Amino acid sequence: MSARTAGPEPPDVVDLTLKGSTPAPSQLLRDAKRVRLYLDPEAETGNEIFLLPGPATSGPYRSGVLLLLAYAAGPFAPLALRRGRRNGVWASIAFLCLLSWGAMIWRWPLIRAWLEAGTVPILPWMLWAFGSMLAYLTTWCRALHLVGRDARFVPQRLPAWVRDSTVAGALGLVFPGTGHLAAGHPRRAALALWNACCAVLMLLTLWHAGWMWRCNRAAESSAVPGIALEALFLFAAVLGSLGLLTWIGSSLDGARLIALRAAQRPSMRSDWIAFVLLCSILLAIALVRPANVARDIDRFATAMQHEDFRVIPLTLELAASRLDPAEPRYTMQVAELYDSFGKHEEAHRIRERMRERWEVYAEQLLREEPHAGQALLPLPIGPPVDPEEFPAADRNDTP
């Protein structure tokens, strides 16, 4: 196969002719003023070629400028590109979100005082905050996808340092989706950006969880049920953790795609980086002392119970009882929390299992008593007493 080009500038038409065949331009080549040649490196056969027609434009390729525009202008990038439908509507949504957040930041001392005093319920504020952030994020991801599909964006014409797999992997940690855009995968770039922004939003929610809980308690009758708010915090913790791991994985995936597209071997392979991360996590788990972690978790759960939390302390106490099954205090705390939820049958089953375990232990003590040569009496409850404080006569009364 051969491709004929003319001049140093990019041609308007790329003519493809198979060797040994009669040239027969297709309807695609006759109608399009510019055709992009794209070789998919992930194809199973390794030689699949796709012809992607672009809009009729005579301007030069500005891949670097478009990449910068996608992250600097965000949702407003399609207005400059003039690509996509209803760009004005999407840009208006993004502008309203920015305007509302700017107004909140400007009047934040007054709004915060209202929330902490319970004058304004926290539920409408939470719905507005989360809704506006998700709307702005949606418009931004759409703009990133449109930039990647623009005919003027050619990944091969990006600066060489951007197309380096190691640099692209590092950029993906700061600007999610950079590696996927440089590899010619705009949809994956938009998903990577969405995942990273959602992870940041969940972590911000956890950061302000205590303040949100106090504001909700101050609202009294118009407050959100505490169980629902605790479920939101648990969901944010799980989603934020998974989002961070996916964020790292997406940056490595972008570096891998760039290396495959350029048919080069990166200086540090992404699969080795993932292997090192996995080994680090396993090593950290192996070196952690479960008893100490369980003790810290129990203290944190006890402190949260004083703030009227119930779902999160129950989850933490369950984790502590799994980490240190030999400590009965964690299991008894779980039973008490189940009683507070009205699940008396579950609490009764937990106490019955504890009683059975204690009976086995007591039976073992009775078997060892004849061999010990002394009675196994329970120690009195109280502070430790120094035997020197008692007179010698009292100590000799015992036969």
Side-chain angles (χ1 to χ4, degrees):
M1 179 172 16
S2 63
R4 298 194 301 269
T5 60
E9 295 294 330
D12 289 337
V13 175
V14 177
D15 186 13
L16 301 177
T17 304
L18 295 176
K19 290 183 178 181
S21 62
T22 303
S26 62
Q27 185 67 29
L28 175 64
L29 294 177
R30 289 197 301 266
D31 295 342
K33 289 189 176 181
R34 174 170 293 169
V35 177
R36 295 167 57 187
L37 177 62
Y38 174 55
L39 174 63
D40 190 358
E42 291 191 304
E44 296 180 359
T45 58
N47 56 1
E48 294 186 6
I49 294 178
F50 300 91
L51 294 176
L52 304 179
T57 176
S58 58
Y61 295 105
R62 295 187 177 91
S63 302
V65 176
L66 293 180
L67 181 62
L68 179 62
L69 186 66
Y71 288 95
F76 307 102
L79 294 177
L81 297 177
R82 296 181 181 180
R83 178 179 176 85
R85 298 179 179 179
R86 299 183 179 89
N87 290 332
V89 177
W90 288 99
S92 300
I93 294 175
F95 179 74
L96 289 177
C97 294
L98 286 179
L99 187 63
S100 60
W101 271 88
M104 184 193 70
I105 294 174
W106 180 43
R107 305 294 294 177
W108 176 243
L110 180 60
I111 296 176
R112 181 172 183 173
W114 288 346
L115 291 172
E116 292 177 350
T119 306
V120 176
I122 196 172
L123 179 59
W125 178 82
M126 290 175 57
L127 293 177
W128 166 79
F130 282 103
S132 59
M133 287 296 296
L134 291 177
Y136 185 84
L137 176 58
T138 302
T139 57
W140 192 2
C141 293
R142 173 184 176 271
L144 191 67
H145 183 260
L146 290 178
V147 168
R149 293 181 59 88
D150 193 273
R152 292 161 291 184
F153 182 78
V154 179
Q156 291 84 352
R157 293 185 175 271
L158 287 171
W161 63 274
V162 177
R163 289 184 283 111
D164 183 78
S165 58
T166 305
V167 175
L171 285 176
L173 296 175
V174 183
F175 305 102
T178 306
H180 293 99
L181 271 184
H185 294 270
R187 183 176 300 177
R188 295 189 187 184
L191 292 177
L193 179 62
W194 175 274
N195 169 78
C197 292
C198 285
V200 172
L201 182 60
M202 294 299 103
L203 293 179
L204 288 176
T205 302
L206 292 178
W207 187 18
H208 295 86
W211 176 78
M212 294 170 64
W213 181 263
R214 292 190 295 270
C215 292
N216 185 62
R217 291 180 59 185
E220 296 180 353
S221 59
S222 57
V224 181
I227 296 179
L229 199 57
E230 290 185 71
L232 173 64
F233 295 153
L234 289 176
F235 177 76
V238 174
L239 193 61
S241 303
L242 294 178
L244 286 179
L245 294 177
T246 308
W247 190 346
I248 298 175
S250 65
S251 64
L252 298 178
D253 182 62
R256 179 185 65 87
L257 292 175
I258 288 180
L260 290 176
R261 186 182 185 92
Q264 65 180 2
R265 182 171 183 175
S267 58
M268 182 177 292
R269 294 182 60 88
S270 302
D271 51 356
W272 281 107
I273 298 177
F275 177 74
V276 171
L277 289 176
L278 180 61
C279 290
S280 302
I281 294 174
L282 293 179
L283 182 62
I285 294 176
L287 295 179
V288 165
R289 296 182 178 181
N292 295 339
V293 176
R295 189 182 306 113
D296 295 337
I297 290 177
D298 175 67
R299 292 174 181 174
F300 187 62
T302 303
M304 295 191 72
Q305 289 185 52
H306 293 299
E307 296 290 335
D308 294 335
F309 284 91
R310 290 191 299 168
V311 177
I312 297 179
L314 175 60
T315 306
L316 295 177
E317 292 292 353
L318 285 172
S321 63
R322 297 294 189 275
L323 291 172
D324 191 5
E327 177 59 56
R329 183 175 69 253
Y330 308 145
T331 308
M332 298 306 296
Q333 288 286 347
V334 171
E336 292 180 4
L337 288 171
Y338 272 126
D339 278 331
S340 66
F341 282 105
K343 298 182 178 181
H344 303 293
E345 295 181 358
E346 184 67 25
H348 178 70
R349 283 195 293 267
I350 292 175
R351 293 189 177 97
E352 283 296 318
R353 287 196 296 267
M354 290 290 298
R355 186 180 62 82
E356 293 173 0
R357 293 171 58 186
W358 167 248
E359 289 178 352
V360 173
Y361 177 66
E363 182 180 355
Q364 185 66 25
L365 288 179
L366 293 176
R367 290 178 181 177
E368 294 178 356
E369 182 178 351
H371 304 285
Q374 58 182 357
L376 297 177
L377 300 177
L379 296 175
I381 300 176
V385 180
D386 188 2
E388 299 298 333
E389 297 180 0
F390 294 92
D394 296 341
R395 294 198 301 270
N396 295 330
D397 290 343
T398 303

